[in-house]
Amino acid sequence: MQYSEKVLDHARNPRHVGFIEDADGVGMVGDPSCGDFVVMTIRVQDGRIADIQYQIRGCGAAIATCSVTAELVYGQSLETADLLTDEDVVQALDGLPEPKLHCSNLAASALHAALEDYRQRRKADLHDWRSLYAR
Ligand code: FES
């Protein structure tokens, strides 16, 4: 299987690996008990992704897609991150071999799950804040 230089670089030297302990949003895709999975954590400041870290169990292509996804959205607005697609991830890596295309889904899906988790938590916070004045 032929990988681009970018895939090999990100697979060998993945960026933003880790887990933000007090993350503002956490997204998990896959099933840790039986296969490939990603946990993506984000910190949000002023409507931007101030930090992003992930942990992954998967093949080299999946590691590369998580790494480049983190690079693509780091420092970007939430709206920009919302628009990231699997195709964007593949393009940023100068392509993936056909049998590995599905691996790119893990990264973007985990990112979107983390963004959704962030928004759900904010909704809950806002609700709690209002409840203080509802007595
Ligand atoms: Fe399973 Fe790539 S993550 S083959």
Side-chain angles (χ1 to χ4, degrees):
M1 211 172 301
Q2 189 68 33
Y3 289 108
S4 71
E5 279 305 314
K6 275 196 185 168
V7 173
L8 295 175
D9 178 35
H10 279 277
R12 289 173 182 149
N13 307 293
R15 286 69 143 171
H16 298 275
V17 176
F19 185 87
I20 302 170
E21 287 297 336
D22 53 346
D24 296 316
V26 180
M28 196 169 119
V29 173
D31 183 349
S33 68
C34 67
D36 305 326
F37 74 99
V38 180
V39 181
M40 189 83 71
T41 53
I42 57 172
R43 181 179 320 289
V44 178
Q45 237 164 21
D46 301 328
R48 293 189 174 271
I49 297 189
D51 197 7
I52 177 166
Q53 295 182 19
Y54 59 87
Q55 293 189 328
I56 176 168
R57 184 169 75 191
C59 67
I63 293 169
T65 60
C66 284
S67 176
V68 84
T69 293
E71 274 200 343
L72 286 170
V73 301
Y74 182 81
Q76 298 293 325
S77 70
L78 298 184
E79 291 74 21
T80 301
D82 280 336
L83 298 175
L84 191 85
T85 65
D86 301 336
E87 292 75 30
D88 295 331
V89 174
V90 172
Q91 260 185 22
L93 289 169
D94 292 339
L96 277 175
E98 179 71 33
K100 291 290 182 179
L101 281 176
H102 71 278
C103 308
S104 68
N105 303 348
L106 285 175
S109 299
L111 169 67
H112 293 135
L115 290 165
E116 177 60 23
D117 180 48
Y118 166 72
R119 290 188 169 112
Q120 288 301 323
R121 288 188 200 194
R122 273 187 49 109
K123 241 189 239 171
D125 285 352
L126 188 61
H127 177 76
D128 288 349
W129 178 82
R130 282 186 176 148
S131 70
L132 294 174
Y133 294 88
R135 291 181 187 151

